[in-house]
Amino acid sequence: MAEDRVLRSAEREPVLHRVLRKATFGLVSLGESPEQVTERRYAGLAQTAIPEHHRLVVMGLKGGSGKTSTVTGLGQTLATLRGDHVVAMDANPDRGTLGTRIGTEHPKTVRHLLEYEREHGITSLPHLRQFLSQALPSRLFVLASERDAAASQAFSAEDYRTTARVLERFLPLGITDCGTGLLFDALSGEGGVLDLADQVVVVCGPSVDEAQSASATLDYLESHRWGNLAENAVVVMTKVPNAKTLKRSAVDLNEIEAHFKTRVRHTLRIPYDPHIAEGGQMELDKLAPTTRRAFLELAAMVGSRFNEPLRVPEPQ
C-alpha cells in the first residue's frame, strides 16, 4: 500500500520539529503536527472496511465541470490507500474520457464485457481483468465506455445493471462516472445507476451557473425517489482559483458553499491544478500538495459511509 503517494505532505516533518529533534540528538520529539494527524485520520476513513460491494456515483450537469478528473483523482486516491480493488466505470452516454485520464486506451469496452457476460459468463477476477484498464501505480481499474457514440447512446438501465452485477462479484468498491444529462435510461431508469447507488458526489465549477446546475441535480434527486442520496451527497467545487484571484471575483464561493451545506452532508473545494488542466493522463504524484490533500479529504468523506449503504430498495 503506497500511502506516501497520497500523504506526502503529511510525511514532511515541520521545521520546528526537525530543528528540535536534531538539536537534542533525537532525545526530544514533538511528534506529529496537527496537519499530519488530520491526514492520517483522513486516510483511516478512506480505508473503512466495506461489508459488501459499495457504489459511488459522480454526477455533473455541466460539461467541463471536472467530473471525470474528480473520478480519476478520487479513484486513484482510494485505490492507493486501500488494500482491496477499486474500479471506475465510464457510464457516459457519449464517448467518455476516463480512459484518457488514466493514460491507457484499452481495446475492450463495457460493450465487450456485456456481450461476453451474456454469452459465456464471467467467472473470475482474472477473467474480468481482460476487459479492464489499470492506472499504475495506483492500481485503479477502469472499465471504458463505448467509443462509438451511437452505440453508447443505447446503453440502458438493464445494461448498467448487468455490468454492475459483474463488477460487484469480484471488486468491492465501484465508482461510476456519469454523463452530463439526467434523463438517459442508464442513469434514471428502473434499476439503473441511481437505484444501485450507495452515495452520490455532485461536481460543479466555481461559477453561478454551474452551482445552479448542481442545485438542480439535487432538486431532481429529491423530487424523485433518491432524496436519501441527495441528503447524504458530497458537493465538490472544482478548479477553485487561489485566494488572490477569488478576492477579485464577483462570485462569492462562501455563499454558494453555505447554500449547499444546508442541503447535503459535505462540501469540498478542489483547487485549480495545472496538471489537471492539461487534460491528459492524470497522476497523483504530479498534483500540487493542496490538490492531493483535497482528494484525500474527499476519499475520507465518502469512506466514512462505506459501511452505511443508502441505496433505495431494488425493484422486484
Side-chain angles (χ1 to χ4, degrees), residues 76-304:
Q76 289 187 333
T77 300
L78 287 167
T80 299
L81 290 171
R82 298 182 62 83
D84 49 18
H85 295 296
V86 182
V87 61
M89 173 184 174
D90 197 335
N92 198 318
D94 302 308
R95 178 175 177 174
T97 58
L98 188 57
T100 303
R101 277 307 204 180
I102 68 163
T104 58
E105 287 289 342
H106 200 281
K108 294 184 178 180
T109 68
V110 64
R111 281 289 167 201
H112 297 96
L113 182 149
L114 279 168
E115 290 170 5
Y116 197 93
E117 167 66 11
R118 286 166 177 164
E119 291 180 13
H120 307 286
I122 296 172
T123 58
S124 67
L125 179 57
H127 204 179
L128 172 62
R129 285 193 61 176
Q130 67 180 303
F131 302 97
L132 305 177
S133 307
Q134 190 169 25
L136 297 174
S138 74
R139 302 179 297 109
L140 172 68
F141 289 124
V142 170
L143 178 59
S145 64
E146 178 59 54
R147 292 175 178 80
D148 181 347
S152 56
Q153 284 285 2
F155 194 66
S156 66
E158 182 183 356
D159 292 333
Y160 178 80
R161 186 166 58 251
T162 300
T163 305
R165 291 305 181 211
V166 172
L167 296 178
E168 79 170 7
R169 289 205 294 263
F170 309 105
L171 306 167
L173 178 56
I175 307 173
T176 300
D177 183 359
C178 294
T180 54
L182 288 173
L183 301 179
F184 62 96
D185 188 57
L187 179 71
S188 55
E190 189 173 276
V193 173
L194 292 174
D195 277 352
L196 298 184
D198 293 299
Q199 288 191 72
V200 165
V201 175
V202 179
V203 178
C204 67
S207 65
V208 173
D209 65 326
E210 291 191 76
Q212 289 172 337
S213 294
S215 191
T217 300
L218 296 173
D219 290 341
Y220 178 81
L221 296 175
E222 290 170 350
S223 64
H224 291 74
R225 57 186 181 276
W226 305 294
N228 58 336
L229 292 178
E231 181 182 353
N232 290 281
V234 178
V235 170
V236 173
M237 284 190 287
T238 63
K239 298 179 287 188
V240 175
N242 59 38
K244 185 176 180 180
T245 303
L246 276 177
K247 192 174 182 179
R248 297 196 301 265
S249 173
V251 179
D252 188 342
L253 289 191
N254 290 329
E255 187 70 23
I256 292 174
E257 203 167 41
H259 163 75
F260 285 120
K261 283 181 177 179
T262 66
R263 304 192 63 182
V264 300
R265 181 166 54 94
H266 289 301
T267 63
L268 177 72
R269 299 184 187 187
I270 296 179
Y272 170 85
D273 193 291
H275 177 55
I276 296 177
E278 291 168 359
Q281 181 180 357
M282 193 173 139
E283 303 174 51
L284 292 180
D285 288 345
K286 294 183 179 180
L287 296 174
T290 52
T291 310
R292 207 161 47 240
R293 191 178 192 276
F295 281 123
L296 174 61
E297 186 173 0
L298 178 57
M301 288 176 176
V302 298
S304 67

